[in-house]
Amino acid sequence: GESVGLHLPTLSVQEGDNSIINCAYSNSASDYFIWYKQESGKGPQFIIDIRSNMDKRQGQRVTVLLNKTVKHLSLQIAATQPGDSAVYFCAELYYNQGGKLIFGQGTELSVKP
Amino acid sequence: DSGVTQTPKHLITATGQRVTLRCSPRSGDLSVYWYQQSLDQGLQFLIQYYNGEERAKGNILERFSAQQFPDLHSELNLSSLELGDSALYFCASSDPDRSSYGYTFGSGTRLTVV
């Protein structure tokens, strides 16, 4: 069935270090993969997406890597800041199913000052 | 402010009752999606509407229903509520014509069933 899962439920890093959040997915019939950030009491916020025919995309301080061979997605955050503390979700978009988005379980990132 | 408005922010009700959650999508977005977020289930897709028509269904219970109105706002109706229905309910909107397919989420309605 459709499932997108995360390897680690929690990640603690020191301020200024780089963070890597991993995600495994099982269904290869998606069009996009998307990372969301959810802060306490708020809805998920779009961070970055990557089309399924790409293997890397960079944004501001964030990089997403896609390895379709092993069905693995990662989010790298450079120079992690306290404001990056949140739960991060990977999600798989099925464009031919009306844009349905299936979310992974989430990883909580804690940044220590 | 994401542009997606959900009301109410908090709702406390008793088992067996019925509630209606409301969502106004971001201006120009035709698609509305409903998600349920509970501690042990993460974000679960419930249902999607596009320009008033149901487009996709996820793990939505028969006790739950939704609709999208001509002005594009959407309502999620939850009936015969059970304790296990306590969760955060998020609405998101999107426009497939945008260059990015990321949804825009509202801040959610926290439903507590007692």
Side-chain angles (χ1 to χ4, degrees), chain A residues 32 34 36 38 41-46 49 51 57 87 89 93 95 97-105, chain B residues 31 33 35 37 39-43 45 48 55-57 88 90 96 99-107:
Chain A
Y32 278 84
I34 306 174
Y36 282 86
Q38 186 176 23
K42 298 183 180 180
Q45 179 185 3
F46 172 87
D49 61 7
R51 194 189 292 259
R57 189 170 186 209
V87 177
F89 294 94
L93 180 76
Y95 182 62
Q97 295 183 37
K100 185 168 69 174
L101 202 61
I102 303 299
F103 281 83
Q105 196 68 19
Chain B
S31 284
Y33 310 80
Y35 283 81
Q37 186 176 36
L39 282 176
D40 59 346
Q41 291 293 324
L43 277 156
F45 169 69
Q48 178 207 355
R55 176 67 69 91
K57 252 184 177 178
L88 272 167
F90 286 104
S99 58
S100 168
Y101 291 96
Y103 294 8
T104 301
F105 280 82
S107 56

Side-chain angles (χ1 to χ4, degrees), chain B residues 42-82:
Chain B
L43 277 156
Q44 297 289 314
F45 169 69
L46 295 178
I47 197 164
Q48 178 207 355
Y49 279 83
Y50 176 81
N51 203 21
E53 307 238 338
E54 183 183 302
R55 176 67 69 91
K57 252 184 177 178
N59 302 319
I60 188 166
L61 300 171
E62 286 190 9
R63 299 184 285 109
F64 296 180
S65 65
Q67 55 184 327
Q68 186 180 27
F69 295 86
D71 66 353
L72 300 178
H73 91 271
S74 178
E75 292 182 356
L76 178 67
N77 301 297
L78 315 176
S79 61
S80 302
L81 284 167
E82 301 174 0

